[in-house]
């Protein structure tokens, strides 16, 4: 089965999401990412609604708190029916294990436990900022690989990372460790504020497991056409 790029629903209201989804065929089951902007304004109902339409949901809330709190929060998110969610690896191995346990507790018996991945270093953090603000005195890449290994040790499925980090992460962990990569631009498209981008085809070659695409689809004149082009390129078709 062909794989779906994950569409970042970077909107601030359900009304905007409805208008966007109306541009897709009703029976097209999408994989969408709901982030803090949308979730904190529309609440858990937005996830229930997207699931009721038949879409898969990656809830990108990047949890980071004491293990007990994260475990309880994750139990609630699993009950909502999310398909994938995430935490900050900086919360530590105990916190990541608690997150996983929470998801398992919240999943109906016989149901699929949501995929849990970790954020390593945010791609907005520079090496200098990491060294000054976090007092981590190693190269940024070493910190990313360390956090990826911690996530693996905690039993998580993978990490969110730049496509440019995928090969090193796979070497440090395992080939089947999930690498979900944003910063994707089809060749010849507007970069927006993203700097280090790769095309869907390059992401596939590098070994990304999932790609997250926002503006190249949400701001396209014909979003469904843009989605299909990216999906085909991601799946190695029509090249
Ligand atoms: O519009 P664009 O394709 O740049 O959107 C990418 C999505 O991935 C946004 O929701 C953005 O917040 C998210 N993201 C990112 N870079 C990261 C982590 C998340 O662009 N390192």
């Amino acid at each position: 089965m062909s794989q779906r790029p994950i569409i970042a629903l970077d909107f601030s209201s359900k009304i905007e999401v409805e208008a966007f989804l109306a541009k897709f065929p009703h029976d097209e089951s999408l994989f969408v990412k709901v982030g803090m902007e949308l979730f904190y304004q529309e609440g858990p109902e937005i996830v229930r609604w997207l699931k009721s339409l038949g879409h898969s949901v990656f809830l990108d809330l990047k949890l980071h708190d004491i293990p007990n709190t994260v475990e309880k929060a994750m139990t609630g998110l699993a009950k909502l029916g999310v398909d994938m969610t995430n935490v900050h690896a900086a919360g530590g191995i105990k916190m990541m294990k608690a997150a996983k346990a929470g998801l398992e507790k919240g999943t109906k018996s016989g149901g699929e436990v949501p995929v849990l991945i970790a954020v390593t270093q945010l791609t907005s953090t520079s090496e200098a900022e990491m060294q000054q603000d976090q007092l981590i005195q190693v190269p940024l890449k070493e910190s990313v690989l360390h956090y990826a290994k911690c996530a693996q040790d905690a039993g998580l499925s993978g990490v969110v990372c730049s496509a440019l980090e995928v090969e090193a992460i796979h070497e440090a962990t395992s080939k089947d460790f999930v690498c979900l990569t944003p910063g994707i631009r089809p060749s010849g498209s507007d970069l927006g504020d993203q700097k280090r981008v790769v095309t869907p085809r390059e992401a596939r070659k590098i070994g990304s497991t999932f790609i997250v695409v926002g503006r190249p689809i949400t701001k396209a004149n014909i979003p469904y056409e843009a989605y299909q082009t990216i999906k085909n390129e991601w799946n190695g078709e029509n090249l």
Side-chain angles (χ1 to χ4, degrees):
M1 201 181 101
S2 72
Q3 277 199 342
R4 298 167 297 175
I6 301 176
I7 305 174
L9 294 180
D10 291 327
F11 299 107
S12 54
S13 70
K14 183 179 173 188
I15 293 173
E16 287 170 75
V17 177
E18 267 174 324
F20 172 68
L21 293 180
K23 296 171 184 162
F24 288 77
H26 284 304
D27 57 355
E28 182 87 27
S29 168
L30 304 170
F31 199 157
V32 296
K33 176 172 95 73
V34 173
M36 295 187 200
E37 182 187 1
L38 184 59
F39 189 80
Y40 289 142
Q41 298 190 69
E42 294 293 346
E45 193 46 43
I46 193 81
V47 175
R48 290 193 195 97
W49 172 68
L50 287 164
K51 291 294 297 178
S52 76
L53 296 176
H55 304 311
S56 302
V57 176
F58 165 31
L59 189 57
D60 179 20
L61 296 183
K62 303 183 177 71
L63 273 66
H64 186 173
D65 208 321
I66 60 169
N68 183 55
T69 301
V70 170
E71 179 173 341
K72 301 251 161 68
M74 284 295 182
T75 300
L77 297 186
K79 283 183 184 162
L80 266 184
V82 302
D83 299 274
M84 186 189 294
T85 190
N86 58 3
V87 292
H88 267 285
I93 292 181
K94 268 192 205 150
M95 186 207 75
M96 289 192 272
K97 282 186 173 168
K100 196 173 172 221
L103 288 176
E104 283 162 3
K105 276 188 196 159
T107 303
K108 277 193 226 132
S109 78
E112 284 238 347
V113 179
V115 174
L116 180 60
I117 55 179
V119 174
T120 59
Q121 288 288 349
L122 292 169
T123 48
S124 53
T125 304
S126 69
E127 186 162 283
E129 282 170 337
M130 178 194 77
Q131 294 183 346
Q132 282 157 27
D133 301 351
Q134 303 174 35
L135 272 187
I136 295 177
Q137 304 301 329
V138 295
L140 184 82
K141 190 171 167 191
E142 204 175 317
S143 174
V144 167
L145 295 180
H146 171 68
Y147 277 142
K149 282 188 266 186
C150 289
Q152 187 184 37
D153 288 348
L156 270 60
S157 301
V159 289
V160 181
C161 64
S162 149
L164 306 168
E165 296 163 350
V166 170
E167 282 170 320
I169 289 172
H170 277 158
E171 249 170 61
T173 57
S174 66
K175 273 273 169 248
D176 59 356
F177 198 59
V178 167
C179 285
L180 176 145
T181 58
I184 303 292
R185 291 292 178 270
S187 23
S189 74
D190 183 8
L191 295 193
D193 53 4
Q194 297 278 17
K195 293 196 182 80
R196 300 185 308 149
V197 300
V198 301
T199 64
R201 182 189 187 175
E202 284 164 342
R204 165 68 70 208
K205 265 176 53 190
I206 289 166
S208 298
T209 323
F210 296 97
I211 53 171
V212 172
V213 189
R215 288 161 291 180
I217 297 174
T218 56
K219 301 262 188 261
N221 287 334
I222 308 174
Y224 185 53
E225 210 173 270
Y227 172 71
Q228 283 181 308
T229 304
I230 291 168
K231 187 177 170 196
N232 288 341
E233 197 182 325
W234 170 233
N235 283 287
E237 291 156 18
N238 300 340
L239 295 175

